[in-house]
Amino acid sequence: MASTFDSLDWSLVRAYLAVAETGSLSAAARKLGASQPTVGRQVQAMEEALGAVLFHRRARGMVLTEMGGVLLAPARAMRDAAGALALTAAGVSDSMAGTVRVTASVFASHHVLPPIIARIRAAEPEIAIELAPSDETENLLFREADIAVRMYRPTQLDVITKHLGDIELGLYGSPDLFARYGRPTCQAELERIPFVGYDRSERIIRGFREAGWHVDRDFFKVRCDSQTAYWELVRAGCGLGFASKLVAARDPLLEEVDLGIPIPSLPVWLTAHETMRRTPRVRRVYQMLGEGLSDLFS
Protein backbone atom coordinates (compact mmCIF):
# COMPACT_ATOMS: atom_id res chain seq x y z
CA MET A 1 0.00 0.00 0.00
CA ALA A 2 1.40 3.41 -0.97
CA SER A 3 2.19 5.81 1.86
CA THR A 4 0.91 9.37 2.04
CA PHE A 5 4.36 10.57 0.98
CA ASP A 6 4.36 8.29 -2.10
CA SER A 7 1.07 9.73 -3.33
CA LEU A 8 1.74 13.37 -2.42
CA ASP A 9 0.96 15.65 -5.38
CA TRP A 10 4.01 17.65 -6.55
CA SER A 11 1.84 20.74 -7.06
CA LEU A 12 1.13 20.77 -3.31
CA VAL A 13 4.83 20.51 -2.47
CA ARG A 14 5.58 23.27 -4.97
CA ALA A 15 3.06 25.57 -3.28
CA TYR A 16 4.47 24.75 0.17
CA LEU A 17 7.99 25.57 -1.03
CA ALA A 18 6.92 28.85 -2.59
CA VAL A 19 5.25 29.98 0.64
CA ALA A 20 8.21 28.83 2.73
CA GLU A 21 10.68 30.74 0.55
CA THR A 22 8.66 33.94 0.10
CA GLY A 23 6.97 34.14 3.50
CA SER A 24 3.43 34.84 2.35
CA LEU A 25 0.60 33.46 0.24
CA SER A 26 0.45 36.55 -1.95
CA ALA A 27 4.18 36.49 -2.76
CA ALA A 28 4.04 32.75 -3.42
CA ALA A 29 1.08 33.24 -5.76
CA ARG A 30 3.01 35.83 -7.76
CA LYS A 31 6.02 33.53 -7.97
CA LEU A 32 3.91 30.60 -9.19
CA GLY A 33 1.62 32.62 -11.46
CA ALA A 34 -1.40 31.40 -9.52
CA SER A 35 -4.12 33.02 -7.42
CA GLN A 36 -3.67 33.47 -3.68
CA PRO A 37 -6.73 31.33 -2.81
CA THR A 38 -5.38 28.50 -4.98
CA VAL A 39 -2.02 28.52 -3.20
CA GLY A 40 -3.79 28.66 0.16
CA ARG A 41 -5.90 25.62 -0.73
CA GLN A 42 -2.83 23.72 -1.93
CA VAL A 43 -0.96 24.38 1.32
CA GLN A 44 -4.01 23.32 3.33
CA ALA A 45 -4.37 20.15 1.23
CA MET A 46 -0.73 19.26 1.88
CA GLU A 47 -1.19 19.78 5.60
CA GLU A 48 -4.25 17.55 5.57
CA ALA A 49 -2.45 14.88 3.55
CA LEU A 50 0.45 14.84 6.02
CA GLY A 51 -1.65 15.34 9.12
CA ALA A 52 0.60 18.18 10.27
CA VAL A 53 0.56 21.95 10.51
CA LEU A 54 3.32 23.37 8.31
CA PHE A 55 2.86 27.11 8.89
CA HIS A 56 1.90 29.51 11.64
CA ARG A 57 -0.48 32.07 10.14
CA ARG A 58 0.66 35.53 11.24
CA ALA A 59 -0.70 38.98 10.43
CA ARG A 60 2.43 39.73 8.40
CA GLY A 61 2.82 36.39 6.67
CA MET A 62 3.43 32.68 7.06
CA VAL A 63 6.08 31.26 9.41
CA LEU A 64 7.24 27.65 9.23
CA THR A 65 6.37 25.39 12.15
CA GLU A 66 8.95 22.91 13.40
CA MET A 67 7.50 20.23 11.10
CA GLY A 68 7.40 22.71 8.21
CA GLY A 69 11.11 23.39 8.70
CA VAL A 70 11.97 19.68 8.83
CA LEU A 71 10.30 19.11 5.44
CA LEU A 72 12.11 21.97 3.71
CA ALA A 73 15.27 20.08 2.70
CA PRO A 74 13.51 16.97 1.28
CA ALA A 75 11.00 19.19 -0.54
CA ARG A 76 13.85 21.10 -2.18
CA ALA A 77 15.46 17.79 -3.15
CA MET A 78 12.15 16.80 -4.73
CA ARG A 79 12.13 20.08 -6.67
CA ASP A 80 15.71 19.48 -7.85
CA ALA A 81 14.77 16.02 -9.08
CA ALA A 82 11.67 17.35 -10.88
CA GLY A 83 13.74 20.07 -12.53
CA ALA A 84 16.41 17.61 -13.64
CA LEU A 85 13.71 15.28 -15.03
CA ALA A 86 12.12 18.10 -17.06
CA LEU A 87 15.49 19.27 -18.37
CA THR A 88 16.53 15.78 -19.43
CA ALA A 89 13.25 15.23 -21.28
CA ALA A 90 13.45 18.61 -23.00
CA GLY A 91 17.10 18.17 -23.88
CA VAL A 92 16.53 15.09 -26.04
CA SER A 93 14.03 16.85 -28.31
CA ASP A 94 15.44 17.18 -31.85
CA SER A 95 12.68 19.44 -33.18
CA MET A 96 13.35 23.06 -34.12
CA ALA A 97 9.67 23.90 -33.54
CA GLY A 98 8.65 24.97 -30.08
CA THR A 99 9.13 27.67 -27.48
CA VAL A 100 12.31 29.15 -26.05
CA ARG A 101 12.02 31.29 -22.93
CA VAL A 102 14.58 34.08 -22.57
CA THR A 103 15.05 36.18 -19.45
CA ALA A 104 16.92 39.47 -19.19
CA SER A 105 16.83 42.62 -17.12
CA VAL A 106 13.80 44.86 -17.57
CA PHE A 107 16.00 47.53 -19.15
CA ALA A 108 17.67 45.16 -21.64
CA SER A 109 14.31 43.58 -22.46
CA HIS A 110 12.88 46.99 -23.26
CA HIS A 111 15.77 48.72 -25.05
CA VAL A 112 18.10 46.03 -26.43
CA LEU A 113 16.49 42.67 -27.16
CA PRO A 114 13.36 43.44 -29.28
CA PRO A 115 15.19 43.96 -32.63
CA ILE A 116 17.33 40.88 -32.00
CA ILE A 117 14.24 38.78 -31.26
CA ALA A 118 12.63 40.13 -34.43
CA ARG A 119 15.60 38.82 -36.44
CA ILE A 120 15.36 35.43 -34.74
CA ARG A 121 11.66 35.18 -35.56
CA ALA A 122 12.29 36.13 -39.21
CA ALA A 123 15.02 33.50 -39.55
CA GLU A 124 13.29 30.76 -37.54
CA PRO A 125 9.49 31.14 -37.79
CA GLU A 126 8.89 27.75 -36.12
CA ILE A 127 10.46 28.99 -32.88
CA ALA A 128 8.23 30.94 -30.48
CA ILE A 129 10.04 33.30 -28.12
CA GLU A 130 8.90 34.09 -24.59
CA LEU A 131 10.69 37.14 -23.18
CA ALA A 132 10.65 37.33 -19.38
CA PRO A 133 11.83 40.79 -18.25
CA SER A 134 13.08 40.44 -14.70
CA ASP A 135 15.68 41.99 -12.45
CA GLU A 136 15.56 38.87 -10.29
CA THR A 137 17.73 35.80 -10.90
CA GLU A 138 15.64 33.36 -12.93
CA ASN A 139 16.54 29.73 -12.28
CA LEU A 140 17.64 27.84 -15.39
CA LEU A 141 17.48 24.47 -13.61
CA PHE A 142 13.74 24.69 -12.98
CA ARG A 143 12.90 25.84 -16.52
CA GLU A 144 11.92 29.32 -15.35
CA ALA A 145 13.99 30.30 -18.39
CA ASP A 146 15.93 28.42 -21.09
CA ILE A 147 18.41 31.22 -21.76
CA ALA A 148 19.45 34.15 -19.59
CA VAL A 149 21.18 37.41 -20.46
CA ARG A 150 23.07 38.47 -17.34
CA MET A 151 25.09 41.52 -16.34
CA TYR A 152 27.31 39.34 -14.14
CA ARG A 153 29.04 35.99 -14.51
CA PRO A 154 26.64 33.23 -13.41
CA THR A 155 27.94 30.79 -10.78
CA GLN A 156 25.14 28.21 -11.00
CA LEU A 157 26.35 24.68 -11.62
CA ASP A 158 25.72 22.89 -14.92
CA VAL A 159 25.34 26.03 -17.02
CA ILE A 160 27.15 27.17 -20.14
CA THR A 161 28.18 30.82 -20.18
CA LYS A 162 29.68 33.10 -22.80
CA HIS A 163 31.06 36.58 -22.18
CA LEU A 164 29.81 38.72 -25.06
CA GLY A 165 31.38 42.05 -24.17
CA ASP A 166 31.05 44.98 -21.81
CA ILE A 167 28.48 47.76 -21.83
CA GLU A 168 30.04 51.19 -21.46
CA LEU A 169 28.18 53.47 -19.07
CA GLY A 170 28.01 57.23 -19.18
CA LEU A 171 26.68 60.06 -17.03
CA TYR A 172 23.66 61.82 -18.52
CA GLY A 173 21.26 64.66 -17.86
CA SER A 174 18.40 66.39 -19.63
CA PRO A 175 18.49 69.88 -21.20
CA ASP A 176 15.91 71.02 -18.59
CA LEU A 177 18.23 69.93 -15.78
CA PHE A 178 21.16 71.84 -17.27
CA ALA A 179 18.95 74.92 -17.76
CA ARG A 180 18.20 74.93 -14.05
CA TYR A 181 21.60 74.00 -12.61
CA GLY A 182 24.07 74.76 -15.39
CA ARG A 183 26.13 72.27 -17.30
CA PRO A 184 29.06 70.95 -15.22
CA THR A 185 32.55 71.51 -16.64
CA CYS A 186 34.54 69.82 -13.86
CA GLN A 187 34.04 67.18 -11.18
CA ALA A 188 33.65 69.76 -8.39
CA GLU A 189 30.62 71.27 -10.13
CA LEU A 190 28.79 67.95 -9.99
CA GLU A 191 28.18 68.52 -6.28
CA ARG A 192 25.63 71.28 -6.99
CA ILE A 193 23.53 69.15 -9.35
CA PRO A 194 21.10 66.49 -8.03
CA PHE A 195 21.51 62.82 -8.94
CA VAL A 196 18.92 60.10 -9.38
CA GLY A 197 19.89 57.12 -7.24
CA TYR A 198 18.67 53.65 -6.34
CA ASP A 199 16.23 52.93 -3.54
CA ARG A 200 17.37 49.67 -1.91
CA SER A 201 20.36 48.80 -4.10
CA GLU A 202 23.67 50.31 -3.00
CA ARG A 203 25.40 49.84 -6.36
CA ILE A 204 25.62 53.56 -7.18
CA ILE A 205 26.67 54.45 -3.63
CA ARG A 206 29.51 51.91 -3.81
CA GLY A 207 30.57 53.36 -7.16
CA PHE A 208 30.68 56.88 -5.72
CA ARG A 209 32.71 55.73 -2.74
CA GLU A 210 35.18 53.87 -4.94
CA ALA A 211 35.63 57.15 -6.85
CA GLY A 212 36.38 58.98 -3.58
CA TRP A 213 32.92 60.49 -2.98
CA HIS A 214 31.60 59.41 0.43
CA VAL A 215 27.87 59.79 -0.15
CA ASP A 216 24.95 58.05 1.49
CA ARG A 217 21.38 57.28 0.45
CA ASP A 218 20.15 60.78 1.39
CA PHE A 219 22.48 62.31 -1.21
CA PHE A 220 19.98 61.13 -3.86
CA LYS A 221 16.75 63.12 -3.60
CA VAL A 222 14.98 60.89 -6.15
CA ARG A 223 15.47 57.13 -5.78
CA CYS A 224 14.17 54.13 -7.73
CA ASP A 225 15.34 50.52 -8.19
CA SER A 226 13.52 49.91 -11.48
CA GLN A 227 16.00 50.50 -14.30
CA THR A 228 13.28 51.51 -16.75
CA ALA A 229 11.69 53.98 -14.33
CA TYR A 230 15.16 55.24 -13.35
CA TRP A 231 15.82 55.98 -17.03
CA GLU A 232 12.58 57.95 -17.35
CA LEU A 233 13.34 59.95 -14.20
CA VAL A 234 16.68 61.02 -15.68
CA ARG A 235 15.03 61.88 -19.00
CA ALA A 236 12.43 63.99 -17.17
CA GLY A 237 15.12 66.13 -15.53
CA CYS A 238 14.97 64.76 -11.97
CA GLY A 239 18.75 64.58 -11.83
CA LEU A 240 21.91 63.24 -13.38
CA GLY A 241 21.99 59.49 -13.88
CA PHE A 242 23.99 56.63 -15.34
CA ALA A 243 22.96 54.81 -18.49
CA SER A 244 24.26 52.59 -21.26
CA LYS A 245 26.04 54.64 -23.91
CA LEU A 246 24.60 52.32 -26.57
CA VAL A 247 21.04 53.23 -25.63
CA ALA A 248 21.55 56.83 -24.50
CA ALA A 249 23.19 57.76 -27.82
CA ARG A 250 19.81 57.17 -29.51
CA ASP A 251 17.88 59.36 -27.07
CA PRO A 252 17.48 63.05 -28.03
CA LEU A 253 16.32 63.94 -24.51
CA LEU A 254 19.64 63.08 -22.88
CA GLU A 255 23.04 64.74 -23.08
CA GLU A 256 26.24 63.09 -21.87
CA VAL A 257 28.42 64.71 -19.22
CA ASP A 258 31.95 63.57 -20.02
CA LEU A 259 34.41 64.91 -17.46
CA GLY A 260 36.99 62.16 -17.88
CA ILE A 261 35.77 60.34 -14.75
CA PRO A 262 36.16 56.56 -15.13
CA ILE A 263 32.83 54.74 -14.86
CA PRO A 264 32.88 50.91 -14.49
CA SER A 265 31.35 48.99 -17.38
CA LEU A 266 28.79 46.18 -17.16
CA PRO A 267 29.77 42.72 -18.48
CA VAL A 268 27.20 40.88 -20.58
CA TRP A 269 26.98 37.08 -20.24
CA LEU A 270 24.80 34.69 -22.19
CA THR A 271 23.80 31.63 -20.18
CA ALA A 272 21.91 28.38 -20.73
CA HIS A 273 21.68 25.10 -18.87
CA GLU A 274 23.99 22.58 -20.54
CA THR A 275 21.14 20.11 -21.10
CA MET A 276 18.91 22.67 -22.82
CA ARG A 277 21.88 23.94 -24.83
CA ARG A 278 21.81 20.63 -26.72
CA THR A 279 18.20 21.20 -27.83
CA PRO A 280 18.25 22.47 -31.45
CA ARG A 281 15.87 25.38 -30.96
CA VAL A 282 17.59 26.53 -27.75
CA ARG A 283 20.97 26.16 -29.41
CA ARG A 284 19.79 28.24 -32.38
CA VAL A 285 18.32 31.04 -30.23
CA TYR A 286 21.44 30.99 -28.04
CA GLN A 287 23.59 31.40 -31.16
CA MET A 288 21.51 34.23 -32.64
CA LEU A 289 21.22 36.07 -29.34
CA GLY A 290 24.99 35.86 -28.98
CA GLU A 291 25.52 37.19 -32.48
CA GLY A 292 23.02 40.02 -32.06
CA LEU A 293 24.39 41.14 -28.72
CA SER A 294 28.01 40.80 -29.83
CA ASP A 295 27.29 43.12 -32.76
CA LEU A 296 26.57 45.86 -30.24
CA PHE A 297 30.16 45.75 -29.01
CA SER A 298 31.89 45.59 -32.41
Side-chain angles (χ1 to χ4, degrees), residues 123-143:
E124 301 293 347
E126 291 188 327
I127 300 178
I129 304 291
E130 291 179 350
L131 179 60
S134 174
D135 292 323
E136 302 296 327
T137 301
E138 302 293 322
N139 197 318
L140 299 176
L141 175 60
F142 305 126
R143 296 299 309 282

Side-chain angles (χ1 to χ4, degrees), residues 174 196-197 222-224 226 228-239:
S174 72
V196 179
V222 177
R223 300 181 287 265
C224 180
S226 165
T228 301
Y230 176 97
W231 173 268
E232 294 300 330
L233 290 168
V234 175
R235 296 178 80 242
C238 293

Side-chain angles (χ1 to χ4, degrees), residues 28-279:
R30 288 192 297 271
K31 181 176 182 179
L32 298 175
S35 68
Q36 182 173 330
T38 296
V39 175
R41 286 193 296 270
Q42 289 173 324
V43 170
Q44 184 177 356
M46 181 167 171
E47 290 179 322
E48 292 173 354
L50 298 177
V53 177
L54 303 180
F55 294 97
H56 296 299
R57 275 71 172 173
R58 307 293 193 205
R60 295 187 176 182
M62 308 277 279
V63 179
L64 285 168
T65 63
E66 182 178 357
M67 175 58 76
V70 167
L71 294 179
L72 198 54
R76 283 173 171 160
M78 186 176 179
R79 181 176 63 186
D80 291 348
L85 184 66
L87 276 172
T88 301
V92 299
S93 171
D94 59 1
S95 173
M96 189 66 75
T99 300
V100 176
R101 186 173 179 83
V102 178
T103 185
S105 70
V106 174
F107 189 84
S109 297
H110 186 98
H111 293 282
V112 178
L113 291 185
I116 299 175
I117 292 174
R119 289 198 292 271
I120 295 173
R121 287 285 303 126
E124 301 293 347
E126 291 188 327
I127 300 178
I129 304 291
E130 291 179 350
L131 179 60
S134 174
D135 292 323
E136 302 296 327
T137 301
E138 302 293 322
N139 197 318
L140 299 176
L141 175 60
F142 305 126
R143 296 299 309 282
E144 293 175 16
D146 299 311
I147 300 172
V149 180
R150 304 280 196 229
M151 303 305 173
Y152 57 87
R153 183 169 189 170
T155 57
Q156 183 178 330
L157 298 177
D158 301 327
V159 297
I160 293 172
T161 62
K162 182 179 181 181
H163 180 220
L164 301 177
D166 297 282
I167 295 176
E168 289 187 79
L169 300 180
L171 180 62
Y172 294 88
S174 72
D176 287 345
L177 183 75
F178 297 139
R180 280 181 281 131
Y181 293 95
R183 189 181 183 88
T185 58
C186 64
Q187 183 171 338
E189 292 181 356
L190 290 175
E191 297 181 11
R192 61 179 168 78
I193 303 178
F195 277 78
V196 179
Y198 292 150
D199 180 15
R200 292 179 298 274
S201 171
E202 294 190 346
R203 184 186 305 168
I204 293 180
I205 292 176
R206 289 195 300 268
F208 268 79
R209 291 175 179 174
E210 289 168 3
W213 287 24
H214 295 284
V215 303
D216 58 17
R217 186 173 181 273
D218 291 333
F219 174 79
F220 305 95
K221 301 308 180 185
V222 177
R223 300 181 287 265
C224 180
D225 282 333
S226 165
Q227 288 292 323
T228 301
Y230 176 97
W231 173 268
E232 294 300 330
L233 290 168
V234 175
R235 296 178 80 242
C238 293
L240 294 173
F242 300 93
S244 159
K245 289 189 175 186
L246 287 169
V247 178
R250 305 194 301 260
D251 195 322
L253 293 182
L254 288 178
E255 298 176 9
E256 185 175 7
V257 178
D258 188 358
L259 302 178
I261 303 171
I263 301 175
S265 58
L266 287 177
V268 179
W269 293 83
L270 192 60
T271 307
H273 193 278
E274 62 178 0
T275 303
M276 289 307 300
R277 177 72 169 76
R278 295 195 294 267
T279 307

Side-chain angles (χ1 to χ4, degrees), residues 11-26:
S11 65
L12 307 186
V13 180
R14 186 167 173 257
Y16 150 77
L17 269 176
V19 175
E21 292 175 346
T22 63
S24 73
L25 290 174
S26 57

